[in-house]
Amino acid sequence: MPGFHERVTLAARPVRAMLLAIAIGGAGAIVLSLAELVRRPVPRSFLFLAALSVVTGFVKFRLPWGRFSFSVSDTFTMTAAVLFGPAAGTALVAFDAFAMSLRLTHEQRTARRVVYNTTAPALAMWIAAHAFVAVSTNAGRVFPGAPGLLLISLLVFAALYFVLNTGFIGVAVAGELHEPLVHVWRVHFAKLWFTYLLGASTAGLVRLVAGTGDASATILLVLPLVVVLYAAAHGAVERLRERRDHLVERDLYATALSSTADAVMLTDPDRRVTFMNTAAERLTGCASIDGRGRAHSEVFRVSDPVTGEPCPDPAGRDAAVLGDFILTRPDGTACAIEEMHAPIRGADGEFQGLVWTFRDVRDRKAAEAQRELLLAMEQEAHAAALVANRMKDEFLAVVSHELRTPATSILGWARLLGDARMDPTASKKALAALERSARAQATMLNDLVDISRMVGGTLRLDVRRTDVMTPLREAIETLEPAVQVKKLSVATKVQESLPFIDADPDRLRQVFWNLLANAIKFCPTAGRVDIAARQEKEELVIDFTDNGQGIDPAFLPFVFDKFRQGDASATRSHGGLGLGLAIVKFVVESHGGTVGAWSAGAGKGARFTVRLPVVMRRRASDRIDLAS
């Protein structure tokens, strides 16, 4: 029996009038039924049905699709109406409904609700039971002994009772919800039809078995069947409720998964896709409707990020472990992802599939690469700073040594000349030593000044039309004394008709002087230096080759660096600041040329090659400001 369990609000006036009419009609039906029962008492089996109705009234089934419940007691009230007439059925329904209303909470148990819940079912039963009697009596007169008359009568009874009972309750609910009666009835009550059909079927079975005798024994025999039927109905209802809860839970999970930023894909035990959220659709390039039912390897196509080999079964590894892959979309584009999967298990632990979670990590990988690059640059800069610091220390040690040596010589000879005790020959020797020491200091100071100008961008070239042999011969003549001291052999091989070039002859003389002085410095006594000048296409090439101590291959890439020397210690056998070759490189490159060094190794000599472009400038001024 459905019950009206919600708080009734003030309904519209027509609805209130209808509710009042139903309550009055039901009350009249109850009064008439009780009066008839007083005049014509019913058998003891009626009391048995009444007891069963009250007991089973506590057993309710709440349908998963509505807010209203039905009771098993409807079976016994309908049986009473079929066996003992409308009065018995109406009285029993009223009693059962009144007892059910008393079980409501104190807040719900208002006088108006108790009255309506008692009278409305009574009126429905009274009308339906009289219709059953009328149909069965009239049809029996017209078709005496015809089979199926009881079935037709029961169907009319069940249908009418179902429509009236649910309709009367539906009127109250529609008034409360302010919704159309048809809509309320269809949503909340239409699916209760099977309970009324079950009650009518049980009542018909009891009537057929009982015949005209005492129905108590028959009811006892049929009661187990009723229990089984309602147990089955209860199980079906519970399965429906579980199914509904499962669907609700699944929809809730689907909604939650669809709103997450991570890509989520579900597969069944056969690894076929059952669900993909929006993020998964975007990353895989496959819509959920297209991917559903397909093998996971057709949708989730990944490969190893290192080897590039396809990974057809990334779930073959341990679960709950993050793995890096390259995900390839159907259009051929790819992105780096991070993937993790876990099994889905049912309540009894059976394997139901896998949940795959993956995310786009391209930005993170790019950030990591950038961070690694910055770290490498920082480490490289730190190493360069350490090298520069070491070079600075070495340079200061060399400068102090190189400047102190001639300064000590100058001070010593100056002191001897100041004593005025030297003869003319000794004085001449002292003056020559003073000049050599001063010239050595001037050379070092000039190199330092040139390097400072190079670093500051203030070194200037006075470019003009120049015969390259002129500064080369001047450099050779300047270093002739040093050549004679070491008894070196200097051979010059010059191609005929070398073209003039645009250059600064003074700076070229400085370049040639540094290269020749470097060769003389590292040549052994009685060694050999070869100088060759020639034209190759649009370049003048000047080679300085010696048979000196050569250059260590490990030091060769750094031979033109500032302050770098093969032996930078203060106890080395050759002097100098290590600036000459750096000045050579800067001046040659300022002319648009190149300079290179080659050596077969230590003790096997060295060759330095200068290449200068043969280009005629057309400028009003020959001066080039290298700071611009």
Side-chain angles (χ1 to χ4, degrees):
M1 176 185 298
F4 174 40
H5 300 158
E6 303 299 326
R7 178 179 295 277
V8 178
T9 59
L10 185 61
R13 182 169 299 178
V15 176
R16 290 166 56 193
M18 186 179 297
L19 295 177
L20 181 59
I22 293 172
I24 294 174
I30 293 172
V31 171
L32 293 176
S33 299
L34 291 176
E36 185 176 351
L37 290 177
V38 171
R39 291 195 307 271
R40 186 172 55 85
V42 294
R44 288 178 300 174
S45 55
F46 172 74
L47 300 178
F48 183 56
L49 286 175
L52 288 176
S53 177
V54 172
V55 172
T56 56
F58 290 94
V59 181
K60 294 181 181 179
F61 299 105
R62 182 172 294 276
L63 295 177
W65 53 76
R67 298 178 298 162
F68 306 98
S69 61
F70 68 91
S71 172
V72 180
S73 60
D74 283 328
T75 299
F76 302 107
T77 58
M78 295 177 73
T79 302
V82 170
L83 290 179
F84 307 119
T90 302
L92 189 55
V93 165
F95 178 73
D96 180 51
F98 179 76
M100 290 178 61
S101 297
L102 294 180
R103 292 197 298 268
L104 299 176
T105 63
H106 178 74
E107 184 182 21
Q108 295 174 333
R109 195 170 58 246
T110 62
R112 181 171 55 184
R113 180 171 300 150
V114 172
V115 169
Y116 190 82
N117 282 350
T118 303
T119 56
L123 180 60
M125 174 60 77
W126 190 83
I127 296 172
H130 279 84
F132 170 76
V133 172
V135 171
S136 60
T137 301
N138 295 330
R141 291 171 182 170
V142 177
F143 306 103
L149 293 179
L150 179 60
L151 177 60
I152 296 174
S153 303
L154 288 173
L155 290 176
V156 172
F157 173 46
L160 191 58
Y161 185 39
F162 163 62
V163 173
L164 292 175
N165 194 17
T166 57
F168 292 161
I169 300 299
V171 170
V173 176
E176 176 209 349
L177 299 178
H178 302 287
E179 295 180 358
L181 173 61
V182 175
H183 171 74
V184 172
W185 185 85
R186 186 177 64 252
V187 172
H188 299 290
F189 300 103
K191 296 182 177 64
L192 295 177
W193 62 269
F194 74 94
T195 63
Y196 292 87
L197 182 61
L198 182 61
S201 301
T202 304
L205 179 62
V206 172
R207 180 165 177 169
L208 287 174
V209 175
T212 57
D214 188 2
S216 299
T218 303
I219 295 172
L220 288 175
L221 292 175
V222 176
L223 183 60
L225 176 61
V226 175
V227 173
V228 170
L229 291 175
Y230 274 100
H234 180 268
V237 169
E238 289 302 315
R239 285 192 297 272
L240 288 173
R241 181 176 290 109
E242 290 177 0
R243 176 65 175 170
R244 183 204 60 179
D245 294 342
H246 174 71
L247 292 176
V248 170
E249 184 179 15
R250 188 186 69 177
D251 292 342
L252 178 63
Y253 286 157
T255 302
L257 293 177
S258 298
S259 61
T260 185
D262 285 345
V264 179
M265 181 177 71
L266 305 182
T267 56
D268 62 15
D270 296 328
R271 301 283 179 86
R272 296 195 174 275
V273 178
T274 59
F275 172 82
M276 294 172 63
N277 68 350
T278 305
E281 292 179 336
R282 183 176 63 254
L283 277 183
T284 61
C286 179
S288 180
I289 189 172
D290 297 330
R292 190 174 296 118
R294 296 172 61 184
H296 78 283
S297 57
E298 298 178 9
V299 177
F300 190 67
R301 298 184 299 173
V302 295
S303 57
D304 189 276
V306 178
T307 64
E309 292 294 326
C311 300
D313 189 15
R317 57 191 174 86
D318 296 335
V321 176
L322 286 175
D324 291 332
F325 297 96
I326 299 298
L327 176 63
T328 304
R329 303 183 183 90
D331 60 2
T333 60
C335 68
I337 64 166
E338 187 179 69
E339 181 271 340
M340 183 175 66
H341 57 270
I344 304 173
R345 301 194 179 276
D348 55 354
E350 78 277 9
F351 177 72
Q352 295 183 345
L354 288 171
V355 55
W356 310 66
T357 305
F358 48 101
R359 63 173 63 94
D360 187 345
V361 293
R362 286 176 296 182
D363 293 341
R364 194 194 71 186
K365 292 292 185 182
E368 290 177 354
Q370 183 67 20
R371 185 166 57 250
E372 292 176 358
L373 177 62
L374 292 176
L375 178 61
M377 292 174 61
E378 188 275 334
Q379 293 174 343
E380 183 178 351
H382 179 68
L386 292 177
V387 171
N389 191 57
R390 184 176 66 252
M391 289 175 59
K392 179 196 68 175
D393 294 340
E394 294 174 355
F395 170 71
L396 291 176
V398 170
V399 168
S400 61
H401 173 76
E402 293 293 332
L403 291 179
R404 183 171 59 248
T405 300
T408 302
S409 175
I410 292 172
L411 289 175
W413 287 111
R415 188 178 298 112
L416 290 175
L417 288 174
D419 290 343
R421 292 180 295 180
M422 301 181 66
D423 57 25
T425 302
S427 297
K428 186 177 180 180
K429 180 180 178 181
L431 290 175
L434 285 174
E435 182 180 1
R436 286 195 304 271
S437 299
R439 191 179 300 276
Q441 280 193 335
T443 300
M444 286 185 286
L445 292 176
N446 286 334
D447 287 347
L448 290 173
V449 171
D450 285 343
I451 287 293
S452 176
R453 289 175 177 175
M454 287 162 49
V455 173
T458 58
L459 185 66
R460 296 175 181 272
L461 296 181
D462 187 9
V463 178
R464 55 184 179 270
R465 195 63 48 81
T466 303
D467 177 8
V468 73
M469 292 307 300
T470 301
L472 179 59
R473 283 192 294 268
E474 292 174 351
I476 295 173
E477 291 172 358
T478 303
L479 292 171
E480 182 65 25
V483 171
Q484 294 178 0
V485 169
K486 298 189 71 173
K487 300 179 180 179
L488 300 178
S489 172
V490 178
T492 304
K493 182 179 180 181
V494 181
Q495 178 182 324
E496 295 183 1
S497 303
L498 288 179
F500 282 68
I501 63 172
D502 286 335
D504 185 337
D506 295 331
R507 290 299 177 184
L508 286 185
R509 184 186 310 109
Q510 184 181 21
V511 167
F512 299 148
W513 185 91
N514 274 311
L515 292 176
L516 184 56
N518 189 72
I520 294 171
K521 180 192 303 184
F522 293 104
C523 265
T525 302
R528 180 180 178 83
V529 178
D530 294 323
I531 302 174
R534 64 189 181 279
Q535 181 179 3
E536 292 183 359
K537 297 182 179 180
E538 299 298 323
E539 290 182 330
L540 284 185
V541 182
I542 302 95
D543 291 324
F544 292 82
T545 307
D546 65 72
N547 63 345
Q549 69 181 43
I551 305 173
D552 189 337
F555 182 71
L556 197 59
F558 312 103
V559 72
F560 292 103
D561 289 354
K562 295 187 289 292
F563 311 124
R564 294 291 292 269
Q565 299 185 78
D567 180 8
S569 64
T571 58
R572 67 191 188 280
S573 58
H574 303 287
L577 300 177
L579 299 177
L581 293 179
I583 294 173
V584 167
K585 179 178 175 63
F586 182 84
V587 172
V588 170
E589 291 181 350
S590 298
H591 281 81
T594 59
V595 60
W598 179 88
S599 176
K604 297 181 179 180
R607 181 177 73 246
F608 288 83
T609 301
V610 176
R611 294 178 177 271
L612 297 170
V614 181
V615 179
M616 297 299 180
R617 297 185 309 107
R618 292 180 174 85
R619 294 181 48 163
S621 173
D622 282 335
R623 183 174 295 274
I624 298 178
D625 188 352
L626 297 182
S628 59

